[in-house]
Amino acid sequence: MHVTPLVWIVTILVILGLFVFDFYAHVRKPHAPTLRESGFWSAVFIGLAVVFGVVVFAVWGPTYGGEYFAGYVTEKALSVDNLFVFVIIMSTFAVPREYQQKVLTIGIVLALVMRGAFIAVGAAAINTYSWVFYLFGAFLIYTAIKLIREHGEEVEHEKERENRIVSLVRKVYPTTDEYHGDKLFTRIDGKRFATPMLLALAAIGFTDILFALDSIPAIYGLTSEPYLVFTANAFALMGLRQLFFLIGGLLERLVYLSYGLSVILGFIGIKLVLHALHENTLSFVNGGEYVAVPEISTWLSLGVIVGVLVVTTVASLLKTRSEKADLT
């Protein structure tokens, strides 16, 4: 896939422009968005992602178009899982609803910056060492197992992590217990203090790093093109703030989401290991020669990912509906 520097520059500027527009149009003035507003802009950003995928199809062909959509769907699913953690953070720090948009927007921009760095490092590593695919695959399989083992204990694990972050920040900077508007810092009796808003942002920023460690190897298992990796991540993150307010209540009903994500990550991990074997250069594996193993196609990957998400969502909604009916 040939992407000129000009295309890279234009793409990055357009994506940054969309984030700037979103901030000044909806976030700059603190308010709690309505469902109508959240639904409309969620649809707009998803529509833009689909249009971009069609452009990839038209310009670079169906192979790369399929890789983009497989990456986008996977990253969007992982982003929805991020929202569950964001809900816990907002609740833990009691962030007022009218200020949650600002926290989410800054957190999403931080996530995009961090993922951009991971994408660059991942691309350099893959181009230099083909055995990196073994590491990516093993890490995703480990993450999949970890998700299953921690299912049902997500809140406890997240609160433990937040407590460590808060303790670290408070060692460096004195903090207040009250919010002072949407300020990150305030002055009391001439002394500078950090507000709970900064603590919430620190928790989200640290969480972004952890999620980037999962998402970047996952998408590199679907495409090795840095341009597609970056754009799929950018479009998946775009509109995440609106999605937070749109499906906040629905998140609690997706009880099997972590199971679905574990299946997807495990599947991509196996796909990466098979690819690594096919491209093998390690002397202690088959004498440094490639191993004749089947490779999983992009279209099969896309079908598995979409199928798992559909089954997970339907099963979750049926489960919660059944439990609600039993209570009544």
Side-chain angles (χ1 to χ4, degrees), residues 87-98:
V87 168
I88 298 173
I89 292 173
M90 296 296 182
S91 175
T92 301
F93 292 99
V95 180
R97 188 171 174 82
E98 63 269 24

Side-chain angles (χ1 to χ4, degrees), residues 122-324:
I126 288 170
N127 288 333
T128 307
Y129 309 105
S130 62
W131 51 261
V132 168
F133 285 111
Y134 284 114
L135 298 181
F136 282 179
F139 179 74
L140 289 181
I141 293 171
Y142 163 77
T143 303
I145 296 171
K146 185 169 176 283
L147 272 176
I148 294 175
R149 293 178 62 184
E150 293 182 355
H151 178 70
E153 300 177 357
E154 295 88 350
V155 175
E156 291 77 7
H157 285 288
E158 184 57 34
K159 287 188 175 180
E160 287 178 9
R161 187 182 301 135
E162 290 165 14
N163 288 335
R164 290 195 294 269
I165 295 171
V166 170
S167 298
L168 180 62
V169 173
R170 284 178 172 166
K171 287 180 181 178
V172 178
Y173 221 94
T175 60
T176 67
D177 294 326
E178 301 83 23
Y179 283 88
H180 291 255
D182 60 353
K183 295 180 180 178
L184 302 180
F185 297 94
T186 190
R187 287 190 176 275
I188 300 176
D189 297 330
K191 189 175 180 180
R192 189 176 173 88
F193 287 83
T195 68
M197 183 75 79
L198 180 67
L199 298 178
L201 276 175
I204 286 181
F206 184 76
T207 301
D208 286 336
I209 296 175
L210 297 180
F211 280 123
L213 290 173
D214 294 340
S215 65
I216 299 307
I219 193 170
Y220 267 121
L222 300 168
T223 176
S224 59
E225 297 294 334
Y227 183 74
L228 297 182
V229 173
F230 174 75
T231 51
N233 268 276
F235 280 109
L237 290 171
M238 208 175 293
L240 194 60
R241 173 182 60 79
Q242 290 87 348
L243 202 60
F244 174 87
F245 292 100
L246 183 64
I247 67 171
L250 181 62
L251 288 173
E252 297 179 358
R253 300 179 61 189
L254 298 178
V255 293
Y256 295 133
L257 179 61
S258 60
Y259 286 133
L261 291 177
S262 67
V263 171
I264 291 172
L265 293 178
F267 170 79
I268 297 175
I270 292 171
K271 183 178 187 294
L272 278 169
V273 172
L274 292 175
H275 179 74
L277 288 169
H278 195 268
E279 302 289 331
N280 178 60
T281 58
L282 296 178
S283 59
F284 57 85
V285 178
N286 198 36
E289 299 295 327
Y290 80 95
V291 181
V293 293
E295 287 210 73
I296 301 172
S297 69
T298 299
W299 292 105
L300 176 59
S301 299
L302 181 58
V304 170
I305 292 165
V306 173
V308 169
L309 290 175
V310 169
V311 170
T312 298
T313 302
V314 172
S316 295
L317 296 178
L318 289 175
K319 170 72 172 176
T320 52
R321 179 181 296 178
S322 175
E323 291 177 345
K324 186 176 180 180

